[in-house]
Amino acid sequence: MQPTPEQSPHHAYPDHWEADVVLRDGGTARIRPITTDDAERLVSFYEQVSDESKYYRFFAPYPRLSAKDVHRFTHHDYVDRVGLAVTVGGEFIATVRYDRIDATGRPASAPADEAEVAFLVQDAHQGRGVASALLEHIAAVARERGIRRFAAEVLPANNKMIKVFRDAGYTQQRSFEDGSVHLTLDLEPTAESLAVQRAREQRAEARSVQRLITPGSVAVIGTGRNPGGVGRTVLRNLLAAGFTGRTYAVNSAFAADQATIDGVPAHRSIGEISEPVDLAVVAVPADRVPEAVTDCGEHGVQGLVVLSAGYAEWGAEGRERQRELVRQARSYGMRIIGPNAFGVINNSDAVRLNASLAPESPAPGRIGLFTQSGAIGIALLSGLYRRGAGLSTFISAGNRADISGNDFLQYWYEDPDTDVALLYLESIGNPRKFTRLARRTAATKPVVVVKGARHSGSTPPGHAVPVGRIPDATVSALMRQAGVIRVDTVTEMVDAGLLLADQPLPAGPRIAILGNSESLGLLTYDACLAEGLRPRPPRDLTTAATPQDFRDALAEALADSNCDAVVVTAIPWVGENGEAESGDGEVLAAALRTAAATGPAKPVAVVHVEIGGLAEALAAATSTAAVPPVARASAPAAPDASATPAHRTAAPTAQVAAPTAPTGPSASATPGDSPAQQRSDTDPGDTPAVPILGRIPAYPAAERAVRALAEAVKYAQWRRQAAVPGKVPEFLDDTIDEAGAAARIDALLGPDPDPRGRSLGHDEACELLGRYGITVRPTLPAPDPDAAVAAAARLGYPVALKTTAPHLRHRADLGGVRLDLANEAALRRAYGELTDLLGKPTELQPVVQSMAPRGVDTVVRATIDPAAGAVLSFGLAGAPSELLGDTAHRLVPATDRDAAELIRSIRAAPVLFGWRGSAPVDSAALEELLLRVSRLVDDHPEVVSVALEPVVVATQGLTVLGASVRLAPSPARTDLGPRRLPNY
């Protein structure tokens, strides 16, 4: 007999199934379980479905639902019968349900693991990806309830539904029976289903951002009647930027007869506007925002930029107000930038949007900039403006209650107008997703990040995010593993961004240095060494060098096959009267840009000291059009033809072209590609043009230029390596008992596990590790000298005697370890010394262990961090890792490449590879051990901590002398499962 919903032990409403999702067109919707209170909503929804869709659902004309149908479709036990609905504005737009069935297709309960599934989507919302999102969520619900397969009957003409099942990526079988297509889907996630899910997530979230920054119309809600104020300022900036769409001013206090303000149509509400409004900028007090959001939602506004303050940055009451704002906006299908935002800018010629408080819209360019701080945003905009840099998009998200840096990484990934992504982050709401998105984006364009609030130990006001326990150095290492360029200051971010946006990536670390100051050249040389680069001896052109000398020297350096990048240093010329002449900046800039454009594609950076006009002239973008030469510039000869690559066209004269819109290089080009190659290709039959004279970044200090160049070198190396991803060796599968480990973990945790988890005993830990091919050298307890002697006899001499008391574990410096005890007498003597020095045996808990082959003592650890996820760590045992923090980290799952890099990235790595004539250790065995530990914590998220210490790595093989393992109930994985928007 089937249990009724009231009798079912699982009939409680599963609120964790509720989720906000982004649909294919960028709008949002809410997915939630259907309840008994939804009868009227269900009937209303069904009335709006076409007869054709009803026919596809029921295989027969079905004009209306009977009372019995309504009861059946709204009463569920949330175990064997489950229904989910998609809502917008509180109304149903789609439903899905499953019913558990047995092998004959009859209703059943567990342990039956198959269910029949059926969908229905309103015609007006078909094509938005609603059914695909519903399938992800209903499949996750089914797996949670022990269902492993879905069965579906679909009419052959229902191509849309067949496509939803076919494209989901699950393993499936299809057959044609009795005039319908019978589909069976295995609900176990596959690599293909996960890839499909993430591809859909990327398209949907990118589209949701695109809707916000490419609106066809903007309404500023809260436009003041008098000049000044936030709303009026935004309106003025919109008009000044030349926004290409329609603009409206909204204020409920406008007089009924007021038609315009600042030449813009004036309205008292969104509802009064007769045309669609795509974006609303909300600049009213916080207590009036809900009214504005309702007005926007009921009249089809697609997105909001909320400048209003008074939310989570004001404490608990404001945080709840912020959550309600997000819930309200999402219920209408809208996404939010903000609250407490500074605004958004899109410099595309097709949009020209400045919906921000920035007094000046930055010049168009190839850099995308995201910041969580309005003050930092202002500083960055000012710094980029002074340096002549241009932006594609700018977003200051404030409390980023909805739209975050992750969303913009999704957008920038395929944005053709953005070559470099710069992000100032004070918190990361979903670190695992950020790492995944950053890795994918960094494979095509640089991602530069400054992380604020690194050492405060607290979440910035207004941000509700998981707080990680790992140190900032670890966070930095994990970002670099994902290809992120992590810098410490916003100045360094601008320095690196300019170089990456305007110059090709270097092919290696070999740096040529040339200039007219020997001292400045030496400073640059020292800075290169400090950053791990390989500088060539500086070339001093002397203070008498002319722009032509600079051009010739730069062309020669670029043509040198032993050079990967060039740093040009320049100081003002000294005139005949002994006074410095700094007015030749434009001429020098023209010479340098011409040499860079006509030589092989390598990055060039300029370090200058007070040369007027040089930085500005170097930053100016130029076209291929020829212009009259500068009056003071002589016409230098072109570089020797033999040094000019065939794909280049030498410039006949040094010319300065008129500035035009920026045309930065594509950062997705491979290292070595030039900006000119990335921007234009000339047909062989075309008339050669004067080469594009690209921007060259200029820096006021050698250290800043070299640091930016070093980041480019490291990033280019990561790009080359990422092009051939690492893998997990297949030999691990033959020596790993995943199922046995899972069963043992379940047994160790028990049926009602402690949420705080438990540490395993020594034998329990060794048994679990053994199922993954990790052998721990046996130890035997030695509660007294006779027991120690018996243990040694069993293990065989020589042995080690060591304490296991928590305060003495791994503390050889305190005398708690005695090694190489060759016989009984030595063992008894050591036992007596140990107890005399440190305390009673009951306090010390001594053990005996056979000696391992001589080698290097190392430490391998893996931990689950609530913010970053699973992290694999490696270092040398003792002072290097504990005192100096010389520990390397990688995200789990680690590949063979990650393991190889892990042991080589610590500063003390030479000790492992033959330092000072010692024999190199067995690095292959160490890498295999790292991969096994990574696999263990990746396969079993209940393993929240593993520590192998010490691991003695010899010339052949290694020995694990100590191990500890901690288990806890599996934590929730925010980066897996069906797509859903976070709730901060």
Side-chain angles (χ1 to χ4, degrees):
M1 178 178 177
Q2 300 299 316
T4 66
E6 291 73 25
Q7 295 170 329
S8 171
H10 299 284
H11 70 272
Y13 180 80
D15 54 8
H16 65 287
W17 293 351
E18 295 182 354
D20 293 318
V21 297
V22 184
L23 302 177
R24 182 181 300 156
D25 62 359
T28 64
R30 186 160 187 79
I31 296 177
R32 65 168 176 83
I34 298 174
T35 72
T36 56
D37 297 330
D38 289 322
E40 291 185 8
R41 293 186 184 88
L42 182 65
V43 172
S44 174
F45 156 73
Y46 194 75
E47 289 174 349
Q48 298 177 63
V49 175
S50 71
D51 291 339
E52 181 183 51
S53 294
K54 293 174 183 176
Y55 185 88
Y56 285 154
R57 169 65 177 84
F58 293 104
F59 291 19
Y62 215 91
R64 63 187 59 84
L65 296 175
S66 67
K68 184 178 179 180
D69 291 330
V70 172
H71 183 276
R72 175 173 168 241
F73 293 149
T74 56
H75 287 68
H76 306 94
D77 63 8
Y78 303 125
V79 181
D80 301 325
R81 298 181 306 282
V82 172
L84 300 181
V86 181
T87 67
V88 173
E91 299 301 320
F92 286 7
I93 66 168
T95 63
V96 64
R97 64 176 280 118
Y98 77 66
D99 293 90
R100 195 189 299 257
I101 57 175
D102 60 18
T104 66
R106 289 178 165 275
S109 294
D113 60 358
E114 185 170 333
E116 188 174 35
V117 67
F119 295 77
L120 185 59
V121 181
Q122 250 179 35
D123 297 67
H125 295 278
Q126 292 178 10
R128 300 183 65 198
V130 175
S132 298
L134 265 182
L135 178 57
E136 291 179 19
H137 283 261
I138 197 69
V141 168
R143 289 193 297 269
E144 181 182 326
R145 295 310 195 207
I147 292 172
R148 297 291 171 258
R149 290 181 305 283
F150 273 162
E153 299 290 336
V154 186
L155 288 174
N158 192 357
N159 294 317
K160 291 181 180 178
M161 200 65 243
I162 293 174
K163 189 175 188 301
V164 167
F165 288 118
R166 186 187 66 220
D167 294 348
Y170 295 114
T171 302
Q172 58 182 273
Q173 293 179 336
R174 282 190 288 176
S175 61
F176 188 77
E177 302 174 7
D178 300 327
S180 66
V181 178
H182 180 79
L183 293 162
T184 302
L185 275 73
D186 186 342
L187 299 184
E188 186 66 26
T190 66
E192 183 181 356
S193 68
L194 185 60
V196 167
Q197 178 179 311
R198 289 178 171 173
R200 288 172 174 167
E201 174 192 66
Q202 188 275 325
R203 289 193 297 269
E205 293 180 359
R207 176 58 181 149
S208 72
V209 170
Q210 186 181 35
R211 287 176 17 146
L212 286 164
I213 65 175
T214 59
S217 56
V218 177
V220 181
I221 303 176
T223 302
R225 290 172 291 177
N226 300 315
V230 173
R232 194 72 175 267
T233 299
V234 172
L235 181 63
R236 183 190 65 220
N237 292 344
L238 275 167
L239 298 175
F243 176 55
T244 58
R246 302 180 305 277
T247 307
Y248 305 98
V250 177
N251 189 331
S252 60
F254 283 157
D257 59 350
Q258 182 168 353
T260 63
I261 185 169
D262 291 343
V264 170
H267 300 274
R268 288 182 293 180
S269 69
I270 295 291
E272 289 186 358
I273 301 174
S274 59
E275 298 174 301
V277 175
D278 297 329
L279 177 68
V281 180
V282 181
V284 299
D287 59 352
R288 290 177 51 200
V289 170
E291 177 187 350
V293 174
T294 299
D295 189 23
C296 292
E298 291 181 349
H299 294 91
V301 174
Q302 295 183 350
L304 306 174
V305 177
V306 181
L307 308 183
S308 311
Y311 288 90
E313 77 277 7
W314 283 15
E317 182 180 348
R319 186 172 295 111
E320 183 53 40
R321 185 184 298 123
Q322 180 169 299
R323 291 187 179 121
E324 181 55 36
L325 167 65
V326 174
R327 284 193 291 266
Q328 184 186 13
R330 288 180 180 173
S331 73
Y332 288 109
M334 298 184 294
R335 300 206 70 183
I336 299 174
I337 292 178
N340 196 28
F342 187 71
V344 58
I345 296 172
N346 182 356
N347 276 328
S348 169
D349 283 339
V351 184
R352 297 201 296 274
L353 173 73
N354 182 4
S356 78
L357 297 172
E360 290 187 359
S361 184
R366 311 293 301 175
I367 297 174
L369 175 61
F370 176 91
T371 172
Q372 291 177 354
S373 164
I376 296 296
I378 294 172
L380 285 167
L381 287 175
S382 176
L384 290 166
Y385 179 80
R386 288 196 308 272
R387 303 280 293 275
L391 295 179
S392 60
T393 43
F394 164 77
I395 310 91
S396 176
N399 294 0
R400 67 113 180 87
D402 182 23
I403 291 283
S404 70
N406 284 350
D407 294 288
F408 274 89
L409 283 176
Q410 299 276 40
Y411 174 74
W412 284 328
Y413 172 63
E414 291 183 337
D415 179 27
D417 294 331
T418 301
D419 288 341
V420 180
L422 308 184
L423 298 95
Y424 171 78
L425 305 175
E426 292 178 345
S427 63
I428 303 176
N430 189 337
R432 299 186 195 195
K433 181 175 179 180
F434 172 80
T435 302
R436 170 169 58 85
L437 300 185
R439 178 191 290 271
R440 185 193 60 191
T441 304
T444 62
K445 59 188 69 174
V447 177
V448 188
V449 170
V450 173
K451 177 68 169 63
R454 292 179 294 166
H455 306 296
S456 65
S458 63
T459 303
H463 297 208
V465 298
V467 178
R469 294 189 295 262
I470 57 178
D472 182 69
T474 305
V475 175
S476 182
L478 299 180
M479 283 191 177
R480 290 197 177 276
Q481 181 190 0
V484 173
I485 300 171
R486 170 80 184 272
V487 294
D488 294 329
T489 68
V490 293
T491 299
E492 291 178 0
M493 180 165 70
V494 172
D495 287 345
L498 291 175
L499 183 75
L500 292 163
D502 297 330
Q503 297 295 305
L505 293 177
R510 301 169 300 179
I511 311 300
I513 303 168
L514 61 92
N516 62 351
S517 168
E518 181 180 10
S519 298
L520 193 53
L522 291 174
L523 286 173
T524 305
Y525 183 88
D526 290 342
C528 288
L529 291 177
E531 292 293 338
L533 301 176
R534 292 164 52 191
R536 299 171 59 189
R539 179 179 177 182
D540 182 16
L541 303 179
T542 76
T543 55
T546 65
Q548 177 64 44
D549 295 328
F550 272 91
R551 175 181 170 176
D552 292 343
L554 178 56
E556 183 179 339
L558 291 172
D560 188 343
S561 60
N562 294 315
C563 162
D564 300 313
V566 182
V567 178
V568 178
T569 63
I571 61 173
W573 289 270
V574 177
E576 295 180 358
N577 58 2
E579 296 182 0
E581 297 181 3
S582 59
D584 290 329
E586 293 85 354
V587 182
L588 178 58
L592 294 176
R593 283 174 25 206
T594 301
T598 56
K602 298 175 183 179
V604 178
V606 173
V607 178
H608 69 98
V609 178
E610 298 298 332
I611 299 184
L614 176 61
E616 293 81 0
L618 287 171
T622 62
S623 70
T624 57
V627 296
V630 176
R632 292 183 58 193
S634 60
D640 186 89
S642 63
T644 304
H647 66 268
R648 291 291 196 178
T649 304
T653 58
Q655 297 172 329
V656 179
T660 63
T663 52
S666 169
S668 62
T670 55
D673 283 353
S674 72
Q677 287 173 288
Q678 297 161 15
R679 288 193 297 264
S680 64
D681 291 303
T682 303
D683 288 335
D686 292 346
T687 303
V690 175
I692 296 176
L693 306 183
R695 301 167 182 258
I696 298 178
Y699 303 88
E703 295 78 11
R704 288 173 56 180
V706 170
R707 191 172 297 118
L709 190 56
E711 295 294 354
V713 168
K714 287 182 282 190
Y715 170 68
Q717 181 181 11
W718 180 90
R719 279 272 292 269
R720 290 190 291 270
Q721 294 174 344
V724 183
K727 58 183 179 180
V728 178
E730 295 181 358
F731 70 81
L732 292 180
D733 297 332
D734 300 330
T735 56
I736 287 177
D737 180 10
E738 182 178 347
R744 187 60 183 145
I745 289 170
D746 289 341
L748 290 169
L749 284 174
D752 188 21
D754 186 339
R756 296 171 298 179
R758 57 161 297 204
S759 296
L760 300 188
H762 178 267
D763 292 341
E764 293 172 330
C766 291
E767 179 190 1
L768 179 60
L769 292 169
R771 294 184 183 275
Y772 271 71
I774 301 170
T775 301
V776 182
R777 204 168 191 85
T779 61
L780 296 175
D784 55 56
D786 292 337
V789 171
R794 180 178 172 184
L795 296 173
Y797 289 99
V799 296
L801 177 69
K802 50 189 179 181
T803 64
T804 59
H807 66 289
L808 295 173
R809 187 176 292 131
H810 310 308
R811 292 299 306 273
D813 55 314
L814 297 181
V817 179
R818 304 301 167 92
L819 304 176
D820 285 320
L821 304 176
N823 50 49
E824 178 179 342
L827 177 57
R828 289 185 180 275
R829 183 170 56 253
Y831 200 101
E833 293 172 353
L834 206 64
T835 53
D836 291 343
L837 177 66
L838 298 175
K840 299 178 181 179
T842 54
E843 299 172 353
L844 303 182
Q845 304 172 31
V847 297
V848 175
Q849 189 175 52
S850 61
M851 286 295 297
R854 296 270 180 191
V856 179
D857 289 0
T858 65
V859 181
V860 174
R861 292 191 178 95
T863 58
I864 304 293
D865 181 79
V871 179
L872 182 66
S873 305
F874 171 78
L876 298 192
S881 60
E882 296 177 14
L883 181 62
L884 303 178
D886 188 17
T887 305
H889 312 273
R890 291 295 185 273
L891 287 174
V892 169
T895 66
D896 54 355
R897 176 176 294 163
D898 292 327
E901 292 175 352
L902 195 59
I903 65 176
R904 290 165 174 81
S905 57
I906 58 174
R907 295 191 297 276
V911 174
L912 302 170
F913 297 97
W915 182 62
R916 299 181 70 177
S918 61
V921 303
D922 190 345
S923 59
L926 184 55
E927 292 168 16
E928 180 181 331
L929 177 66
L930 289 165
L931 290 171
R932 291 184 183 277
V933 173
S934 168
R935 177 78 177 269
L936 171 64
V937 296
D938 188 47
D939 288 346
H940 308 285
E942 300 89 353
V943 181
V944 295
S945 174
V946 175
L948 307 181
E949 182 179 5
V951 177
V952 182
V953 191
T955 54
Q956 290 188 343
L958 55 78
T959 308
V960 180
L961 297 182
S964 62
V965 177
R966 185 170 180 80
L967 303 181
S970 177
R973 289 290 301 270
T974 56
D975 59 329
L976 297 178
R979 291 172 283 161
R980 63 173 61 213
L981 287 171
N983 291 310
Y984 298 120

